[in-house]
Amino acid sequence: MRITLIPLLLALAAACVPALCGNKEQPVPQPEAPVGTRSHFAALDDVRLLANGLLQLGQSLREFVQKTKGQINDILQKLNIFDHSFYQLSVFASQIKEEEEELKKTTVVLKANSEEIKGLSVEISSKVDSILQEKSRLQNKVDGMEEKLRSLTHGLVTSEQVGEINSLKELIHSQERSITELLNAMREQSDQLNHQRIMIKTLEEKFTVNTLTQETIERMPEILNSEAPTLTPYLTSSSTSTTDMMNLPSDCSDLFNRGEGVSGVYAIRPTGTEPFMAFCDMSINHGATVIQRRRDGSVNFDQIWDKYENGFGDFQGEFWLGLRKIHALAAQGNSVLHIQLEDWKQGRHFIEYRFYLSGLESNYTIHLTHLSGDLADPMSNHTGMMFSTKDRDNDNHQDSNCAHNYTGGWWFNACGETNLNGRYFHMRPKGRSERRRGIQWRPGQKASYSLKLTQISVHPMASPSTTSSTSASSETGVFLRSSTRILQ
């Protein structure tokens, strides 16, 4: 390559020399020297100028080649990382398929055993019924003999009657022993049948979870590259009558106070804003407006600023309500931010903050004051932070874009370890850098929670008389019912 560049460099230098010399003043014409005395060599200044031009051009080409090599090396490293991640996903998928086949075989065997046990249970029940009928018949005979004994109270009882009575008593005792033994055997069979049913149900639940996990892993590239659907926009007077719009509740708590007790999607209108649709959780004694929910990884939360400002996802699954709507709810004053979390060990926790959210002019700065809950408080380092996304960096980390590196929009400080809008992982990643991209709740230097379910909601501050009952029931409701539906 160097050999081929030398003629090119010489040509460029030859072209540059007249151009460089063209800006100088024209020399005064001198009498031409005689032909016999003209010099056959270039002037020394021209040679130096040509040499300097060649050196500068060679240095520029060398820097360009080095820069190109560095970019190619970066691309190769990223391709290697992608190949490694794809290989790990393939290994996980093959392991899940093997476990699925084993679960199918075990389920078939248990179902056969269950049918056999059901047949035995029916047979035992019929035998018990016949024994009970025999016992009733013998009891009638005993009652008759007692009547005879009463009639002979004033007379003598013959030896034949005494023998008959004793034989009947022995027969009754033997029948009672047989009945007791059969009842014990039936109880054991019933316990065994219940145990088999529990095993079958457990395997079916595990099979369902593994199937969902495999489907999500197979769809992971599609989910990560997909654009989340936009939530229902603000309602207009053309879709709803003016009277109905004026009578809309200000939030889900207001709707609860009007007598509505079923969780679901409703139209609300915070003070001074346009009405919009929201999901209301009516299970915590006062009604709460849900602003975020994660439960199965079906929605990609690594979205741009516009999506986070207006909302995205599906009210029946995973969604983010939107910063504009959250600001409208918080602007009504006296608001509480309620966070519910569930880890992969079925551990359920909650925490509450007094909450206010500034508007767009301050990039939706969050203000939090801890109130209650059974979770440690890592969000104290995030209060006063502006909201950041991968295309709008508002964090306090000067050398990094936290939303781009950790994925998902959040109120990042200097990145940190708390981000409920991170990437959803069905299996705990092995690498520390990859775990940081997931849904995290890490207070200080303590171990982080690898989260399975999250729900963030907003409601007005409750009165003192209802505070205790509200905190006691805050871990139940639509959040936990939805998690139960996933596992069934």
Side-chain angles (χ1 to χ4, degrees), residues 236-309:
T236 60
S237 58
S238 61
S239 60
T240 309
S241 65
T242 305
T243 304
D244 292 339
M245 291 179 67
M246 295 300 296
N247 292 331
L248 289 176
S250 60
D251 55 19
C252 295
S253 178
D254 186 11
L255 185 65
F256 181 86
N257 294 334
R258 296 185 184 186
E260 183 60 58
V262 180
S263 299
V265 181
Y266 297 91
I268 61 174
R269 186 182 186 184
T271 304
T273 64
E274 294 295 325
F276 55 86
M277 304 302 293
F279 190 93
C280 296
D281 182 359
M282 301 300 192
S283 60
I284 49 179
N285 295 337
H286 47 63
T289 309
V290 180
I291 65 174
Q292 185 255 37
R293 184 167 63 202
R294 309 289 300 278
R295 68 183 190 183
D296 56 12
S298 59
V299 174
N300 180 14
F301 270 64
D302 190 18
Q303 301 294 330
I304 61 176
W305 177 271
D306 182 66
K307 286 286 187 179
Y308 270 100
E309 187 173 31

Side-chain angles (χ1 to χ4, degrees), residues 85-102:
S85 301
F86 184 77
Y87 173 75
Q88 288 182 338
L89 286 174
S90 300
V91 172
F92 288 151
S94 62
Q95 291 176 353
I96 291 174
K97 287 183 179 179
E98 292 176 359
E99 293 180 359
E100 179 182 347
E101 293 298 329
E102 293 179 359

Side-chain angles (χ1 to χ4, degrees), residues 79 118 127 145 175 219 225 310 315 320 401 427:
L79 287 174
K118 286 182 179 179
K127 289 183 179 180
M145 293 300 297
Q175 292 291 340
R219 293 177 55 239
N225 295 325
N310 296 299
F315 281 129
W320 172 262
N401 183 339
M427 296 181 181

Side-chain angles (χ1 to χ4, degrees), residues 120-154:
L120 292 174
S121 177
V122 172
E123 184 178 353
I124 291 172
S125 298
S126 63
K127 289 183 179 180
V128 170
D129 291 337
S130 62
I131 291 172
L132 291 175
Q133 292 176 359
E134 182 67 18
K135 180 181 178 181
S136 177
R137 187 175 62 80
L138 291 174
Q139 188 65 41
N140 292 332
K141 288 185 178 181
V142 171
D143 292 339
M145 293 300 297
E146 288 178 352
E147 291 294 332
K148 290 181 181 180
L149 288 173
R150 291 192 189 94
S151 64
L152 297 173
T153 302
H154 301 289

